[in-house]
Amino acid sequence: MHETMVAKGLLDSIIAESEKRNAKPTKAKMSCGTFNTVNDEVLLFAFEAIAKGTICEGMKLDIEHKSIQGKCKSCGKQFDFNITKPACSHCGCDKFDLLPDPALLLEEIELETD
Amino acid sequence: MSKKIQLGTKILSANEQYAQQNKQLLTDEKKPCLNMISSPGSGKTTILVRTISDLKAKIKIGVIEGDIQTELDAERIRATNAPAVQINTKGACHLSAAQVNSALHKLPLQEIDAVVIENVGNLVCPSAFELGENDKVVVLSVAEGDDKPIKYPAIFSKAKVLLINKVDMLAGTALADFDIEKVKADTLRLNKDIQIFCISAKTGEGMQGWYDWLCESVGKLK
């Protein structure tokens, strides 16, 4: 249910950035790490609902999920961490460090221009 | 025509600003703070009640209780003579840093050594919202099953301590299929620095390890 908080944070940021530039937003791209447990369907529904009556009404929202990265202790390479197969995808070693989960970010917005 | 603008703004920045304020307040007052997270019914309040009573000669703990409704948990804490502030989220599935900010101002910080925030019972959402705490403590009771670290990895990857509670229930045959070693291995894979203690807040088994960690950590952070 915390998708509503994410939707509210997104809406506030998009409105602030758009008003700064005196333009209407048409599209936004956000990203999050998989451990942020954001459900696309719930977030899109929440965003659409709270955007009604604002300059964000009807705009398109893209959500990118970034996988958690592991850093192999044997070969030193980074790989997409898979919890059901927790090993380096390059050399198969199971000794690795997990890198921090990517934050919830508003990456980019598109504004209407004349 | 349209124009693309690259931003990279943190979406939960409103919460993070409050979390920062809380951290500052707690640092200024030299009060270490833990954020306790688990499913409903894992025994967070029972662990706290026993911990507060057993350690009362060493550490005075103040508690912020988060629940959807009722004052029940705060009343259980107050019965130990420790101060407790109850937050009712009225449906929200996690505590926000703003709610904790107003609760911190209601706690008698001068009279306590440390603050424990007992989050709303939920293994998912609370892990995404920083409250200004020093460390997170995750509780898993054996009745919930040994697959939880894999199913809910976020909190197990972020916590400093895992308390595996209700181990007294493993003595019977009903829960003989809960594999503690599997839970430990799965958790350590997500979080190599986590401290794991197997406890029963009901019988007191294993609590000493947790108390030692708590006393040392409070002493270090004060």
Side-chain angles (χ1 to χ4, degrees):
Chain A
M1 213 182 96
H2 74 273
E3 278 83 356
T4 46
M5 294 282 288
V6 177
K8 180 75 172 60
L10 260 179
L11 186 78
D12 291 346
S13 300
I14 297 171
I15 290 176
E17 295 294 340
S18 305
E19 282 180 347
K20 234 191 268 177
R21 296 166 177 89
N22 220 357
K24 184 179 159 41
T26 53
K27 198 174 163 184
K29 199 170 112 187
M30 64 160 281
S31 65
C32 56
T34 46
F35 282 5
N36 281 305
T37 56
V38 165
N39 178 297
D40 289 9
E41 208 179 330
V42 179
L43 178 56
L44 292 171
F45 179 79
F47 185 78
E48 193 184 321
I50 62 169
K52 280 215 171 88
T54 73
I55 53 167
C56 294
E57 184 166 349
M59 70 178 286
K60 194 174 176 315
L61 180 63
D62 283 343
I63 306 166
E64 184 195 353
H65 292 267
K66 293 184 177 167
S67 26
I68 312 287
Q69 296 290 300
K71 190 170 191 303
C72 181
K73 284 194 166 176
S74 177
C75 72
K77 288 183 185 156
Q78 284 193 22
F79 58 96
D80 289 352
F81 173 69
N82 175 351
I83 196 152
T84 57
K85 268 189 272 168
C88 172
S89 59
H90 305 287
C91 71
C93 174
D94 65 356
K95 301 270 185 296
F96 55 85
D97 289 327
L98 270 192
L99 301 182
D101 192 26
L104 281 155
L105 292 180
L106 171 59
E107 298 271 7
E108 147 191 317
I109 54 173
E110 273 185 52
L111 301 174
E112 251 176 23
T113 52
D114 298 327
Chain B
M1 285 290 286
S2 68
K3 191 168 81 172
K4 276 190 189 173
I5 297 166
Q6 304 295 323
L7 292 168
T9 319
K10 281 194 173 179
I11 294 170
L12 297 177
S13 59
N15 186 72
E16 278 177 29
Q17 280 167 18
Y18 273 108
Q20 206 49 49
Q21 279 184 34
N22 295 348
K23 187 156 235 162
Q24 192 60 53
L25 171 68
L26 290 160
T27 310
D28 290 348
E29 299 283 336
K30 296 192 171 62
K31 307 298 171 191
C33 177
L34 298 176
N35 179 4
M36 215 171 177
I37 296 174
S38 81
S39 311
S42 68
K44 291 186 295 303
T45 316
T46 306
I47 293 170
L48 275 176
V49 165
R50 185 157 198 141
T51 304
I52 290 167
S53 305
D54 288 353
L55 293 183
K56 66 170 176 265
K58 287 185 179 162
I59 315 175
K60 290 199 167 47
I61 297 173
V63 179
I64 296 174
E65 281 289 344
D67 277 298
I68 292 196
Q69 55 187 31
T70 80
E71 188 93 4
L72 292 173
D73 282 0
E75 284 164 6
R76 287 176 63 192
I77 300 293
R78 286 181 201 127
T80 68
N81 288 324
V85 176
Q86 180 78 52
I87 299 172
N88 282 152
T89 63
K90 299 188 173 73
C93 52
H94 60 272
L95 287 176
S96 70
Q99 289 169 321
V100 169
N101 189 269
S102 70
L104 278 174
H105 286 100
K106 290 178 194 154
L107 265 186
L109 290 177
Q110 309 300 329
E111 297 166 23
I112 58 177
D113 303 309
V115 178
V116 177
I117 303 165
E118 184 184 332
N119 220 309
V120 179
N122 179 338
L123 216 43
V124 185
C125 310
S127 69
F129 292 85
E130 295 295 324
L131 302 178
E133 72 272 18
N134 297 97
D135 294 316
K136 292 179 176 63
V137 172
V138 59
V139 182
L140 172 69
S141 66
V142 299
E144 295 162 53
D146 55 20
D147 53 3
K148 295 302 167 289
I150 303 190
K151 284 187 172 172
Y152 303 89
I155 182 57
F156 291 88
S157 74
K158 290 178 183 171
K160 201 62 166 272
V161 170
L162 163 63
L163 298 176
I164 303 177
N165 192 26
K166 307 190 188 178
V167 292
D168 54 299
M169 291 174 84
L170 296 176
T173 51
L175 283 169
D177 54 354
F178 182 93
D179 186 345
I180 286 189
E181 293 312 313
K182 174 182 158 54
V183 170
K184 285 184 178 171
D186 288 346
T187 304
L188 286 167
R189 214 171 278 134
L190 290 164
N191 184 344
K192 61 181 167 39
D193 300 320
I194 197 167
Q195 298 280 323
I196 303 176
F197 302 105
C198 297
I199 62 165
S200 165
K202 191 176 166 189
T203 66
E205 179 184 347
M207 295 293 278
Q208 194 56 49
W210 153 243
Y211 294 160
D212 291 345
W213 180 87
L214 187 62
C215 291
E216 195 192 327
S217 145
V218 167
K220 225 187 299 178
L221 292 166
K222 265 180 90 165

